Amino acid sequence: SPRHYVIINDIMKTGSLGILDDVLESQNQPLKLRLLKDVLVYRKNIEMEAIHIIICNDHIDLSMLSNVIEEHKRWVNHPQNDLELLVNLDMLFHKALLESTENIVYQLIHRHFESFSQKMIGYFYQNYNLAEQNFNLYIETYEAILACDENKAKSALSNVLDQGAQFVLQLMK
């Protein structure tokens, strides 16, 4: 359709983030899948960079991330089969991690994809009983950050992100 040409043209020439939403909602599966792969790679890269920034800077305030981790620990100790709660707790971890860096661009990009991420995380938790495993990996990530063990923090978070990415890509095919 003519609109698809405009969307492709806009992405390639202007790079507008607003157009990405149109693509994610479109029926153009090849372009949607290409965009999705790129978004997932970028998301992982900025979260890995966030860990690096946090570990390299003594002045970073981790209170928000600490509060989110306490919520995860409470859930692990007293699991609830509440999809909305699971999605919110998962989303809060990523938001708190990126906000801890004080990098405005990371926060804006995260916010831009928030509704799409929320939808995908909801589908994920509807289909897999992995909340406890994921929350424990978030806890492990946080504890590794506190111990300044960048490799361990990145490894734990990569496990969650890779699993989620694999699910989302399968869902979109």
Side-chain angles (χ1 to χ4, degrees), residues 111-130:
R111 200 167 302 125
H112 179 83
F113 290 109
E114 203 166 37
S115 67
F116 179 77
S117 295
Q118 191 169 15
K119 191 184 324 178
M120 292 301 109
I121 291 169
Y123 291 149
F124 179 82
Y125 284 123
Q126 281 176 343
N127 289 282
Y128 293 101
N129 188 18
L130 296 173

Side-chain angles (χ1 to χ4, degrees), residues 32-150:
K32 185 192 290 190
L33 195 55
R34 179 178 164 197
L35 171 65
L36 192 55
K37 286 178 183 177
D38 289 346
V39 167
L40 292 168
V41 166
Y42 190 74
R43 178 181 184 198
K44 182 177 178 180
N45 286 341
I46 65 171
E47 293 203 18
M48 295 300 109
E49 182 62 18
I51 289 171
H52 177 74
I53 290 168
I54 292 167
I55 288 176
C56 289
N57 292 288
D58 298 347
H59 73 281
I60 298 283
D61 178 9
L62 293 176
S63 59
M64 184 175 167
L65 189 57
S66 175
N67 291 338
V68 170
I69 291 301
E70 288 307 313
E71 291 295 318
H72 285 167
K73 288 178 179 177
R74 272 194 281 287
W75 188 92
V76 168
N77 290 332
H78 304 287
Q80 299 173 33
N81 191 17
D82 178 341
L83 182 62
E84 186 178 345
L85 176 64
L86 294 175
V87 171
N88 287 337
L89 286 173
D90 197 292
M91 294 284 295
L92 280 172
F93 176 84
H94 300 284
K95 180 180 180 184
L97 180 73
L98 294 174
E99 286 187 7
S100 296
T101 68
E102 299 175 354
N103 183 309
I104 295 168
V105 175
Y106 290 174
Q107 294 172 44
L108 289 172
I109 291 171
H110 173 76
R111 200 167 302 125
H112 179 83
F113 290 109
E114 203 166 37
S115 67
F116 179 77
S117 295
Q118 191 169 15
K119 191 184 324 178
M120 292 301 109
I121 291 169
Y123 291 149
F124 179 82
Y125 284 123
Q126 281 176 343
N127 289 282
Y128 293 101
N129 188 18
L130 296 173
E132 184 174 355
Q133 174 190 307
N134 285 355
F135 290 176
N136 280 323
L137 285 167
Y138 290 143
I139 293 164
E140 184 179 328
T141 300
Y142 176 72
E143 290 172 351
I145 287 170
L146 292 180
C148 295
D149 188 340
E150 188 171 340

Side-chain angles (χ1 to χ4, degrees), residues 3-12 19-20 22-39 169 172:
R3 178 74 177 141
H4 289 290
Y5 175 75
V6 171
I7 291 170
I8 292 168
N9 214 21
D10 281 354
I11 289 172
M12 300 307 184
I19 289 297
L20 300 181
D22 287 345
V23 174
L24 290 173
E25 297 298 325
S26 79
Q27 300 303 312
N28 186 334
Q29 283 305 109
L31 183 59
K32 185 192 290 190
L33 195 55
R34 179 178 164 197
L35 171 65
L36 192 55
K37 286 178 183 177
D38 289 346
V39 167
L169 290 171
M172 292 298 189

